[in-house]
Amino acid sequence: MQSEECLALMVEKECQHLPNADYLNRLRKGDLDLGGRKEAIDWIGKAHAHFGFGPLCAYLSINYLDRFLSAYELPKGKAWMMQLLAVACLSLAAKMEETEVPLSVDLQVGESKFVFEAKTIQRMELLVLSTLSWRMQAITPFSFIDHFLNKINNDETPPRSLILQSIQLILATIKGIDFLEFRPSEIAAAVAIAVIGEIKTVEAEQAISALTQHVQKERVLKCIQLIHDVVLIGGSVKNASVSILSVPQSPIGVLDAACLSYRSDDTTAGSCANSSQNTPDAKRRKLNRPWEV
């Protein structure tokens, strides 16, 4: 278990790994492509399930995607750019979190509208890395959940079933945009209270009092209400609709910048409609203009 000092430091730093403050409002107002974001996240989910990556890889992929979109404006009318961003974000998350990582070109499974060359994906990865200031070991709700479950459970180690339910519930919060309003620590606190409440009576305000050193009561109560309104409609925590059930694997280290180096004057890039892995007779086509960073 993390020490209180470690938890306090993570709470202090978690805002460094969030989208810009106006991101949620811009999505709701339609200033940003909400539909494109949904398609990208749907694809990440399918590719993630195909390779059996851990839950933290899924969360990091979408965290990178949202942080990038909040800071970098993609060109209008180029739907393939969002798909390329999704591939790059999943590739980076897998390199950060997974012990076995497919080649970037092999990540492009499922019903992808476009398939990109390795060099094109690599260039997009570099753009994501630079835009996010290389802050890739993001603080997430997973960083807090064990400690919060323990605290709310009277300092007793929670059973594995509660940890798995917490993982399911955290993942159920990342697809939509409503939970972008909350910090990772607040989501973790709300999730911990929700899952503990499945096995015994828990007063939310009393449970939060055990965590007040790290979270604000009003915001956690609001997040708990959102969980019940959005995630738990029609079922319990145990039945939260999430397909990823495995426990997160340990990070294997940070990316080596040298491995992603490229020549700035090299602008070769290509794409084709539909993956040949899924539609062998799919017609291939090149983009009219190569993508450039």
Side-chain angles (χ1 to χ4, degrees), residues 2 72 85 88 177 196 200 202:
Q2 302 100 323
Y72 189 99
L85 175 61
I177 64 173
I196 293 292
K200 63 182 180 181
V202 175

Side-chain angles (χ1 to χ4, degrees), residues 44-57:
I44 287 174
K46 292 174 183 177
H48 177 278
H50 176 87
F51 290 103
F53 293 152
L56 184 53
C57 180

Side-chain angles (χ1 to χ4, degrees), residues 64-112:
Y64 298 162
L65 183 109
D66 282 326
R67 288 162 60 195
F68 181 88
L69 291 175
S70 76
Y72 189 99
E73 185 174 353
L74 293 177
K76 303 291 185 182
K78 296 185 181 294
W80 56 271
M81 284 285 288
M82 187 70 82
Q83 174 65 31
L84 177 57
L85 175 61
V87 175
C89 288
L90 179 59
S91 176
L92 288 170
K95 290 172 183 175
M96 286 296 299
E97 178 59 22
E98 300 298 325
T99 54
E100 296 183 9
V101 183
L103 295 175
S104 57
V105 292
D106 294 332
L107 285 175
Q108 302 174 91
V109 296
E111 300 174 358
S112 302

Side-chain angles (χ1 to χ4, degrees), residues 221-236:
L221 287 173
K222 185 177 180 181
C223 190
I224 292 171
Q225 185 59 53
L226 185 60
I227 286 175
H228 284 282
D229 290 347
V230 177
V231 179
L232 304 183
I233 291 176
S236 66

Side-chain angles (χ1 to χ4, degrees), residues 22-225:
D22 64 343
Y23 179 59
L24 177 57
N25 188 47
R26 292 168 65 198
L27 282 171
R28 286 173 170 166
K29 289 171 57 179
D31 295 340
L32 297 176
D33 186 1
L34 183 59
R37 176 188 181 274
K38 181 182 182 302
E39 288 184 6
I41 291 176
D42 286 344
W43 177 84
I44 287 174
K46 292 174 183 177
H48 177 278
H50 176 87
F51 290 103
F53 293 152
L56 184 53
C57 180
Y59 199 99
L60 287 176
S61 300
I62 299 173
N63 174 268
Y64 298 162
L65 183 109
D66 282 326
R67 288 162 60 195
F68 181 88
L69 291 175
S70 76
Y72 189 99
E73 185 174 353
L74 293 177
K76 303 291 185 182
K78 296 185 181 294
W80 56 271
M81 284 285 288
M82 187 70 82
Q83 174 65 31
L84 177 57
L85 175 61
V87 175
C89 288
L90 179 59
S91 176
L92 288 170
K95 290 172 183 175
M96 286 296 299
E97 178 59 22
E98 300 298 325
T99 54
E100 296 183 9
V101 183
L103 295 175
S104 57
V105 292
D106 294 332
L107 285 175
Q108 302 174 91
V109 296
E111 300 174 358
S112 302
K113 295 180 180 179
F114 306 96
V115 175
F116 302 96
E117 297 174 357
K119 190 173 295 186
T120 306
I121 298 170
Q122 186 181 92
R123 294 166 73 85
M124 191 65 186
E125 286 179 312
L126 282 168
L127 180 59
V128 172
L129 287 166
S130 61
T131 301
L132 303 189
S133 301
W134 287 76
R135 291 174 175 164
M136 312 308 285
Q137 287 187 309
I139 294 172
T140 74
F142 295 119
S143 308
F144 301 96
I145 193 63
D146 286 351
H147 184 93
F148 288 177
L149 283 171
N150 183 277
K151 278 290 186 182
I152 298 171
N153 199 37
N154 300 319
D155 291 322
E156 297 179 5
T157 302
R160 178 180 172 84
S161 60
L162 286 191
I163 295 174
L164 290 176
Q165 289 172 36
S166 299
I167 290 171
Q168 292 178 326
L169 193 48
I170 289 170
L171 291 174
T173 68
I174 61 177
K175 189 170 184 179
I177 64 173
D178 294 311
F179 288 92
L180 288 170
E181 177 181 350
F182 301 99
R183 295 183 176 194
S185 58
E186 295 165 346
I187 293 173
V191 166
I193 292 169
V195 297
I196 293 292
E198 285 287 301
I199 61 171
K200 63 182 180 181
T201 302
V202 175
E203 291 292 337
E205 294 197 22
Q206 181 180 351
I208 295 171
S209 66
L211 312 174
T212 51
Q213 182 178 349
H214 307 297
V215 296
Q216 296 180 21
K217 181 176 71 173
E218 293 75 14
R219 291 185 56 79
V220 174
L221 287 173
K222 185 177 180 181
C223 190
I224 292 171
Q225 185 59 53

